[in-house]
Amino acid sequence: MKLDRPVTGGPCWTELGTTDLEAAKCFYADLFGWRPETDPRQEAGGYTVAHLGEAAVAALSPLYQESQPVAWTVSFAVADADAAAAAVTAAGGTVVLGPMDVFDVGRFAVVFDPGGAAFQLWQPRAFPGAGLFNAPGALGWVELMTRAPDRVKEFYTTVFGWTVSASDYYPQWGIDGADFGGMVTMGDKFPHEVPSHWMPYFTVEDVDATADAAVQAGGHLLMEPMSVPHGPRIAVLRDPQGAAFGVHAAGEEG
C-alpha cells in the first residue's frame, strides 16, 4: 500500500482473535518471523503484540466473547472514536462495542458496516498503531469482501472520506489517492455462510514459499498463489484455527 505509517482514516492495526493463542503464536512466528509478547496484566486478557525487530506489527488474542469468530480484524485510525462511532451509525452502520478506553494506549470501538463487515475504530493515545508497513512480515494491504458494494462505497466515503478508484473489477480504497486496500464483491462462488469481512494481507518475500510453509504447518490454501494483472503475486490462506489472511509479494503494489 502507498501508506507507510498510521494516518487518520487509514488502516493502522490488525489483530487476530483465536481459539488457541499459543498455537497461533507459534504458527505466525514461524511463518513471518514475529516475536510475540503477551501482556502479563490479568486485565489485558492475554493480549499479545507481535514484533518484527522493535516494531509492533500485529496482535493476537483469545476470543473474548462467545459470539466472536476466529478471524483477523482491521482497525482504522480516527481522531475521535466517539465522533467516528456516531458517524458510523448515521451512515447506516452499527456500533457493537464501545467506544471505550484501553488503558492509556487509546480508545476504540467495534463496528459493522451496512454490509455486515466488522472493523475497529482506533483513537490513538500512547499507541499509534503498527510501527512498520509494507516490509516482509508486516501489514501491506487490506481488502473488504462484501455483498453490498454500492452501499458500502457510500458508507466508507461518508465516514472516512476515502477515495475510490473507478474500477468495475477491483475498486481500491485510498486517502487523497494514496491507495491502501481494495474491495471484492462476493458472488455465487462464495459460500452463503461466509460473511462480509475485512482481511489483512501481509507482505512476504516469496508468496509460493510462504503458502507452502503455511500448509506444512497445518494451514490451508483458500486461493492458490497467482499473479494479479498489473498487480502483485498473492495468495489467501487460513491458519490452523480457521482465520483467513492474505499474503502478497514484497515491492509490488496492490
Side-chain angles (χ1 to χ4, degrees), residues 16-40 45-52 57-62 72 217 239-241 243:
L16 171 69
T18 184
T19 52
D20 192 334
L21 179 60
E22 293 305 314
K25 286 161 64 173
C26 292
F27 175 82
Y28 288 101
D30 290 343
L31 196 65
F32 295 139
W34 289 352
R35 175 173 54 83
E37 293 185 0
T38 300
D39 191 321
Y47 195 83
T48 299
V49 175
H51 297 77
L52 285 170
V57 292
L60 306 91
S61 74
W72 281 96
D239 72 21
Q241 284 70 52

Side-chain angles (χ1 to χ4, degrees), residues 176-195:
D176 296 328
D179 292 343
F180 59 78
M183 182 177 71
V184 172
T185 298
M186 300 173 73
D188 294 338
K189 67 178 180 179
F190 289 89
H192 179 72
E193 64 271 16
V194 177

Side-chain angles (χ1 to χ4, degrees), residues 32 135-137 202-210 233 247-252:
F32 295 139
F202 299 100
T203 306
V204 296
E205 290 284 3
D206 188 321
V207 168
D208 297 74
T210 301
R233 189 161 181 79
V247 294
H248 76 92
E252 298 181 7

Side-chain angles (χ1 to χ4, degrees), residues 46 66 68 133 167 243:
E66 289 186 8
Q68 183 182 354
F133 290 94
S167 169

Side-chain angles (χ1 to χ4, degrees), residues 119-135:
F119 63 97
Q120 294 189 16
L121 305 170
W122 179 251
Q123 177 187 335
R125 289 173 179 159
F127 181 71
L132 186 67
F133 290 94
N134 305 318

Side-chain angles (χ1 to χ4, degrees), residues 169 201 206-208 223-236 247-249 252-254:
Y169 169 67
Y201 276 75
D206 188 321
V207 168
D208 297 74
M223 186 179 74
E224 294 189 0
M226 62 173 291
S227 295
V228 177
H230 310 295
R233 189 161 181 79
I234 65 173
V236 178
V247 294
H248 76 92
E252 298 181 7
E253 288 291 341

